[in-house]
Amino acid sequence: MNSGLTIQHMFDYATTYFPDQTIVCRKPEGTIRLSYQEFGHRTRRLAAALMALGVGPGDRVGTFLWNDLPHLEAYFAVPLIGGVLHTINIRLPADQLLYLVNHPEDRVLIVDRTLWPALAPLRERLTSVTAIILTGRSPDPDPLGTLDYDTILEETDGHFDYPAVQETMPMGLCYTSATTGNPKGVLYSHRGMYLHSLTLGLANTLGISLEDTVLPIVPMFHVNAWGIPFAAVWFGAKMVLPGPAPQASTLLDLMRDESVTLAAGVPTVWLSIARELEARPTRLALRAAVAGGSAAPATLIRLFESTFRIPFIHAYGMTETSPLVTVSRLKPHHRTLSDEEQLAIKATQGFLVPGLAMKLERDQHPVPWDGESVGELCLQGPWIADEYYRDPRTRDTFIDGWLHTGDLASVTQEGYVHLRDRTKDVIKSGGEWISSVDLENALMAHPAVFEAAVVSVPHPQWGERPLAFVVVKEGRSATQEELRKSLRDRFAKWQLPDGILFVPEIPKSSVGKFLKRALRDAYRDYFQPSSGE
Ligand code: ADP
């Protein structure tokens, strides 16, 4: 039968079969707990309220929210009525926010009251927006003409017939940063998100199930929190939402108090949690610390698996891919390898999840899967976008039915992807290529190093040379020479960074990735003769 693969089905299934399951939401004023049944009623009410505001199939509803209850409700309510859930990054500057609302012509915005000051000055210029709904509480009076989230939910009983939704219709929209110019939009279809969610339930990937208590640390504006809320609710997991701006200590408490079994975040978040765990050993029920978004250093994986005894799952994906692409899982025959060999495999990005296809390409030619040769990773599959939304940059990335990821990788004969760099971060020294990711990993393996980023800086003789930035662990010290020495066994001399600078912190992007662009810009003259070494 051709019954549709829609979010409507996922929502109905979850609320029918798991009405007693719990959603926990941490709030500064106190933690909220509710059942899936209550969540279902609230979500239907939001859906009805949005319909009453004129949201129809295809209309974009922007969210400007933390990982909290209204966000989870919007995740389901908007697609239920055929709308497009547009999750907006709450940490972007005003000019980008303006673009992010105006470019997709968002019709309604759902905004946390504490975040409203970022949007308020833009209000007159948000020309497509016909209604603004504010969530949460604030001592300040509400801005004129805005609606209160809880009030609009109370004003409807939530009874309505779903509009017809085809599985190929869009249900979500996310923007991803571009090297230059405005962010690029990626539309997700019901079908894509349905199949992506199913995949998150497979034992070979994250195996999310009704046995789990799931904590998405990754912001819900970042690639649908990696699709985890959709899968977790569908499969009846207990959901834990961390609320506004959680710190590592809060996350650790939340994991302990709610017996979280699976949590997902970028490596820098796991690094902070590791630091907290070292200072304050805590018994956790975690069966999976899931990291993605940038390369998880091998030392971080070792710390979790050997010291904390918490299984660590390294995964790879991007906004254009919903995002799940690969998961680093050992195969049964790897169990006979040494710990270090197993760790080396776990530190790769892993192999492709079922349902997708990949190829490695350089100058339009296939690159062999020999674990050494490097090419650009190209992807195909039902949850991979085939264009940027209303954007001519589509033609640079989506070529002949393949997404060209801009990620440079080698692939082993067994299919393990090892990401070596992003095209935009590549260091080209005297015509030779140096992997910044490999250098970072090696630096972070040094016991005194907390974080390390390596960037490409223009050089008068070599074109570009690597420059390393290192944050030393609290209470530890290291010298340039010591760190350089620790790299010597693994890298040729010409691959070593020309400078290792000790910094108090490494700038991070809005989702916690190293912001290498900021370092490159700040140090672009570092090797120039006048200012140089
Ligand atoms: P942005 O460009 O804003 O970072 P995304 O969040 O979509 O946008 O990032 C996707 C990119 O993040 C990938 O193309 C890849 O370069 C990087 N990435 C994601 N997961 C990993 C991983 N596990 N290891 C290394 N890099 C990763």
Side-chain angles (χ1 to χ4, degrees), residues 347-532:
T348 70
Q349 280 63 29
F351 56 92
L352 210 60
V353 299
L356 302 183
M358 73 175 199
K359 64 177 183 177
L360 210 52
E361 209 180 82
R362 186 166 51 220
D363 302 331
Q364 288 159 6
H365 293 294
V367 170
W369 292 13
D370 56 12
E372 294 292 330
S373 313
V374 173
E376 184 180 20
L377 196 64
C378 304
L379 298 164
Q380 266 183 348
W383 55 88
I384 308 247
D386 57 5
E387 62 170 1
Y388 289 122
Y389 184 54
R390 302 175 169 175
D391 199 318
R393 288 171 289 184
T394 289
R395 61 173 172 268
D396 307 328
T397 299
F398 301 91
I399 303 162
D400 295 336
W402 289 86
L403 162 71
H404 288 242
T405 61
D407 284 322
L408 300 174
S410 56
V411 179
T412 66
Q413 280 175 2
E414 283 196 282
Y416 284 84
V417 173
H418 179 184
L419 280 204
R420 310 296 284 277
D421 239 324
R422 301 177 80 160
T423 2
K424 54 187 180 190
D425 292 333
V426 146
I427 306 166
K428 273 227 164 137
S429 169
E432 295 286 343
W433 170 75
I434 301 172
S435 164
S436 65
V437 177
D438 288 352
L439 282 170
E440 286 161 5
N441 255 321
L443 282 168
M444 286 193 267
H446 190 280
V449 174
F450 176 57
E451 284 179 344
V454 177
V455 303
S456 151
V457 171
H459 190 282
Q461 185 179 358
W462 300 108
E464 291 171 0
R465 288 296 298 156
L467 186 61
F469 297 83
V470 166
V471 181
V472 174
K473 280 186 188 155
E474 246 175 66
R476 303 293 290 257
S477 64
T479 62
Q480 249 209 77
E481 195 36 45
E482 216 177 300
L483 293 183
R484 198 187 289 271
K485 213 165 126 196
S486 74
L487 298 175
R488 269 192 211 130
D489 294 346
R490 312 253 303 270
F491 296 90
K493 199 155 169 258
W494 61 269
Q495 293 174 317
L496 297 179
D498 285 23
I500 300 180
L501 307 185
F502 294 97
V503 290
E505 63 178 335
I506 292 182
K508 311 258 172 24
S509 77
S510 55
V511 295
K513 303 186 190 193
F514 292 157
L515 200 56
K516 296 197 185 180
R517 190 169 16 98
L519 289 171
R520 269 197 302 268
D521 289 349
Y523 288 83
R524 69 167 70 249
D525 295 330
Y526 188 81
F527 295 123
Q528 299 312 313
S530 54
S531 63

Side-chain angles (χ1 to χ4, degrees), residues 38-96:
E38 291 165 285
F39 161 75
H41 289 150
R42 287 176 55 90
T43 301
R44 283 184 141 272
R45 286 184 170 163
L46 173 61
L50 290 172
M51 284 212 315
L53 288 171
V55 176
D59 286 338
R60 271 77 59 200
V61 175
T63 58
F64 203 67
L65 298 166
W66 301 104
N67 286 17
D68 63 3
L69 185 60
H71 217 166
L72 191 66
E73 289 163 352
Y75 257 52
F76 286 88
V78 176
L80 273 189
I81 57 171
V84 178
L85 172 84
H86 172 206
T87 50
I88 303 169
N89 184 334
I90 58 177
R91 304 215 175 92
L92 292 180
D95 58 329
Q96 289 199 17

Side-chain angles (χ1 to χ4, degrees), residues 241-257:
L241 300 169
Q247 302 299 307
S249 59
T250 315
L251 291 168
L252 188 56
D253 291 344
L254 206 52
M255 286 196 262
R256 180 199 56 205
D257 297 345

Side-chain angles (χ1 to χ4, degrees), residues 17 150 173 188 260 275-276 307 317 362 374 413 425 428:
Y17 293 102
D150 287 325
L173 174 65
Y188 307 103
V260 168
R275 195 155 56 166
E276 190 70 20
T307 310
R362 186 166 51 220
V374 173
Q413 280 175 2
D425 292 333
K428 273 227 164 137

Side-chain angles (χ1 to χ4, degrees), residues 76-318:
F76 286 88
V78 176
L80 273 189
I81 57 171
V84 178
L85 172 84
H86 172 206
T87 50
I88 303 169
N89 184 334
I90 58 177
R91 304 215 175 92
L92 292 180
D95 58 329
Q96 289 199 17
L97 287 179
L98 194 62
Y99 180 81
L100 283 183
V101 178
N102 286 344
H103 180 256
E105 298 174 276
D106 285 348
R107 181 162 184 154
V108 173
L109 293 181
I110 307 177
V111 182
D112 190 292
R113 276 190 175 78
T114 61
L115 300 169
W116 174 246
L119 287 178
L122 309 175
R123 185 170 175 177
E124 295 308 314
R125 289 186 283 161
L126 304 176
T127 44
S128 58
V129 175
T130 55
I132 294 170
I133 305 168
L134 297 180
T135 72
R137 292 202 198 108
S138 158
D140 304 324
D142 275 348
L144 214 59
T146 57
L147 300 165
D148 173 62
Y149 188 86
D150 287 325
T151 308
I152 62 163
L153 257 59
E154 277 158 24
E155 282 169 353
T156 153
D157 61 8
H159 289 297
F160 67 96
D161 291 326
Y162 292 157
V165 164
Q166 308 304 317
E167 65 182 36
T168 48
M169 279 168 56
M171 54 64 62
L173 174 65
C174 238
Y175 280 73
T176 181
S177 60
T179 323
T180 51
N182 284 313
K184 298 177 282 189
V186 177
L187 267 185
Y188 307 103
S189 68
H190 282 259
R191 178 172 178 270
M193 199 48 68
Y194 186 107
L195 293 169
H196 182 265
S197 306
L198 272 183
T199 308
L200 289 176
L202 300 176
N204 275 6
T205 67
L206 304 190
I208 295 177
S209 82
L210 49 78
E211 307 280 357
D212 276 314
T213 298
V214 173
L215 170 70
I217 305 173
V218 45
M220 288 171 76
F221 60 73
H222 187 222
V223 213
N224 316 300
W226 304 346
I228 289 171
F230 288 117
V233 169
W234 189 10
F235 304 144
K238 176 179 159 190
M239 279 296 285
V240 180
L241 300 169
Q247 302 299 307
S249 59
T250 315
L251 291 168
L252 188 56
D253 291 344
L254 206 52
M255 286 196 262
R256 180 199 56 205
D257 297 345
E258 299 300 334
S259 302
V260 168
T261 59
L262 182 144
V266 289
T268 51
V269 164
W270 285 116
L271 268 171
S272 315
I273 292 175
R275 195 155 56 166
E276 190 70 20
L277 263 173
E278 279 176 322
R280 180 159 71 94
T282 307
R283 190 185 285 273
L284 297 176
L286 267 189
R287 68 158 183 87
V290 181
S294 54
T299 40
L300 180 68
I301 304 177
R302 187 194 289 119
L303 195 58
F304 269 85
E305 301 225 315
S306 305
T307 310
F308 308 141
R309 301 273 161 206
I310 295 171
F312 194 94
I313 301 182
H314 187 201
Y316 155 76
M318 56 198 302

